[in-house]
Amino acid sequence: MHWILQDGFFSESGWEAMVSTLERFEISYSVHTVVPGVGHLKPEPVLAHTNVICLGSYTLRHMAVQNAWRPGVFDLYGEDFEKQRERWGEHMLNHRACVCTLDEACFTEPRIFVRPLHDSKSFSGKVFTAEEFVQMQRSVREGRQVGSLSGQTEIILSEPQSIYAEYRFWVVRGSLITSSLYKRGNQVFYSSEVNPRIIQFARERVAEWAPHDAFVLDVCETPKGLKIVEINTINSSAFYAADVQRLVLALEEAFTE
């Protein structure tokens, strides 16, 4: 495949691992800046075929569709929380969550976890105080919020959960390719050492349902056991302590035409 990389999107270590892998195995790639919002590339890529994969911001999906790149971007927009909850049920961390629009939402507790329903990157999920959330609603209504967020954006409201640690798994064609610890409690912490028990939990969930040919699955340890946090688009996900070379070669093997 030809790999299109967004300049500056990934961390320095992740970028170096990606580029060194592509060069080591003589895999074609190019580096571009991305026009915010629409995903146009500078410079425009000059390609001999459409067997292309993109790594970078979520807006690259527009260019991938426009140019009929395959696989392009493994877009998870349609595989929202409702579908995940339907498939994985109580294995989901926020399986009791409420879904509504930003305009409809109101807090019944001092602090609530809020995130977009779709994998649209309109804002980052986090725990809001009632005051913080009201301020966000007001800024959206007054047109001061940058990006795609609107009063009709569907969101998830859930009580805050206690989380001991969080892990990411990269999945290609139903197989777990690599994994990384990325958070302990409230502290960012990267490690490629992941307990086999947690790997087995992730493998079982992927066997039950895989939302796309390639995606990332985030899993956490809680007082109630292992839970699924969410899924994310593999093209736009941070590498943490993943084995980037193994991931690149797995994607090459699965999708090179």
Side-chain angles (χ1 to χ4, degrees), residues 26-256:
E26 299 182 341
I27 298 170
S28 173
Y29 77 95
S30 56
V31 179
H32 308 263
T33 58
V34 178
V35 178
V38 294
H40 292 161
L41 303 177
K42 292 183 178 180
E44 288 287 338
V46 179
L47 306 173
H49 56 76
T50 57
N51 187 197
V52 176
I53 187 169
C54 304
L55 293 186
S57 66
Y58 188 61
T59 55
L60 282 171
R61 75 192 191 281
H62 299 303
M63 284 293 288
V65 171
Q66 178 182 324
N67 292 284
W69 290 335
R70 304 181 307 273
V73 172
F74 300 95
D75 192 359
L76 292 174
Y77 186 84
E79 307 299 342
D80 60 30
F81 171 77
E82 296 276 43
K83 290 189 178 180
Q84 295 169 47
R85 179 163 57 180
E86 179 182 339
R87 296 285 188 161
W88 285 318
E90 293 188 359
H91 290 303
M92 297 290 297
L93 176 67
N94 296 311
H95 70 279
R96 298 182 184 277
C98 168
V99 177
C100 62
T101 67
L102 183 69
D103 274 346
E104 293 169 339
C106 62
F107 274 32
T108 56
E109 302 291 338
R111 294 165 59 84
I112 294 287
F113 175 78
V114 185
R115 57 152 290 184
L117 174 64
H118 298 285
D119 183 24
S120 61
K121 315 299 182 188
S122 54
F123 69 95
S124 297
K126 68 169 191 173
V127 175
F128 286 79
T129 65
E131 181 180 357
E132 288 172 337
F133 187 75
V134 168
Q135 288 176 348
M136 184 171 77
Q137 284 180 313
R138 185 180 300 118
S139 68
V140 169
R141 289 168 183 156
E142 295 173 356
R144 293 184 283 109
Q145 187 77 30
V146 177
S148 60
L149 193 59
S150 75
Q152 296 309 304
T153 298
E154 292 182 295
I155 60 173
I156 299 165
L157 303 178
S158 179
E159 62 180 299
Q161 306 285 343
S162 296
I163 296 176
Y164 301 143
E166 298 179 55
Y167 305 83
R168 174 160 289 178
F169 296 87
W170 286 258
V171 183
V172 177
R173 291 272 167 88
S175 296
L176 270 58
I177 304 303
T178 184
S179 58
S180 174
L181 167 69
Y182 65 89
K183 203 171 186 182
R184 280 182 176 166
N186 293 321
Q187 300 297 315
V188 172
F189 185 89
Y190 300 161
S191 174
S192 59
E193 298 296 322
V194 178
N195 189 296
R197 171 181 61 89
I198 301 168
I199 294 173
Q200 182 59 28
F201 173 85
R203 186 173 286 120
E204 290 171 357
R205 303 291 76 76
V206 171
E208 292 169 349
W209 180 56
H212 214 312
D213 287 337
F215 63 101
V216 298
L217 176 72
D218 290 347
V219 170
C220 65
E221 292 183 281
T222 78
K224 299 176 182 178
L226 294 170
K227 299 291 182 181
I228 295 170
V229 180
E230 61 184 355
I231 56 175
N232 279 291
T233 302
I234 200 169
N235 310 73
S236 304
S237 297
F239 295 125
Y240 303 138
D243 186 332
V244 174
Q245 176 173 302
R246 189 174 180 186
L247 177 61
V248 168
L249 296 181
L251 290 166
E252 275 287 314
E253 181 179 0
F255 301 108
T256 296

